Amino acid sequence: MPQSLSRILVHLIFSTKNRAPVLTREMRPELHAYLVGVLFNIDCPALQIGGMEDHVHLLFGLARTRTMAEVVEITKTSSSKWLKTKSQSLKDFHWQSGYGAFSVSQSAAESVISYIRDQDEHHRTMTFQEEYRRFLDRYQVVYDERYVWD
């Protein structure tokens, strides 16, 4: 087979440092559009991006030539630098140092897109920490609570 092809969908989740609620409703559309561009530039097409004031969700196709660590580093570094230019109140902005990356089957992509779009609804009754623990449990990720939050 002379051609290398892949389709790996990833649901990436990360929060602001200490879950600071700094991503305002007004700025989120621009931030999400910026993240779409960052992913596009590294051949990781975004299917859906969303989030709340303290975290983001990104569903994208992982480029076959990129590692997850590279995608996370590029995405977080670029968007952090960009956010710092958007407002004086964000001059010290940082993302948390960790992240969660979860595989998504093609058949589940639409439900994940809907989930990301409905973040306002989910977070009426659930904190980011509760949501994130649910993902870790659903994907059977072993974790130490002492090191999940920063």
Side-chain angles (χ1 to χ4, degrees):
M1 178 181 293
Q3 194 174 25
S4 299
L5 304 169
S6 72
R7 175 72 164 169
I8 300 170
L9 300 181
V10 177
H11 183 175
L12 177 63
I13 306 169
F14 53 87
S15 78
T16 58
K17 181 83 170 165
N18 299 315
R19 287 149 322 281
V22 297
L23 306 175
T24 65
R25 182 175 301 280
E26 297 75 31
M27 78 165 39
R28 285 191 296 246
E30 191 176 4
L31 170 61
H32 299 163
Y34 182 83
L35 290 166
V36 167
V38 171
L39 290 169
F40 177 82
N41 288 334
I42 58 173
D43 298 321
C44 293
L47 281 74
Q48 185 67 45
I49 296 184
M52 297 298 291
E53 61 274 349
D54 62 350
H55 69 282
V56 293
H57 291 258
L58 302 88
L59 177 63
F60 63 92
L62 181 64
R64 65 176 187 76
T65 58
R66 296 282 183 182
T67 67
M68 183 56 52
E70 288 173 329
V71 172
V72 171
E73 179 180 2
I74 291 166
T75 304
K76 287 169 71 174
T77 300
S78 179
S79 61
S80 178
K81 288 178 182 177
W82 178 80
L83 279 164
K84 290 175 183 183
T85 70
K86 300 312 285 180
S87 168
Q88 183 63 21
S89 66
L90 294 172
K91 68 180 175 59
D92 295 321
F93 178 83
H94 292 284
W95 293 112
Q96 73 175 110
S97 51
Y99 63 90
F102 306 96
S103 61
V104 175
S105 67
Q106 184 63 48
S107 61
E110 283 303 319
S111 66
V112 175
I113 288 169
S114 293
Y115 180 85
I116 293 172
R117 281 186 188 148
D118 293 338
Q119 282 294 289
D120 284 333
E121 183 67 30
H122 304 304
H123 290 290
R124 286 188 185 142
T125 60
M126 182 186 331
T127 67
F128 168 70
Q129 291 96 323
E130 291 167 333
E131 176 187 47
Y132 193 66
R133 282 186 199 102
R134 271 194 193 171
F135 273 95
L136 295 173
D137 293 341
R138 182 181 307 142
Y139 280 86
Q140 300 177 9
V141 175
V142 177
Y143 63 97
D144 185 331
E145 187 80 24
R146 295 174 297 173
Y147 304 109
V148 174
W149 319 112
D150 63 355

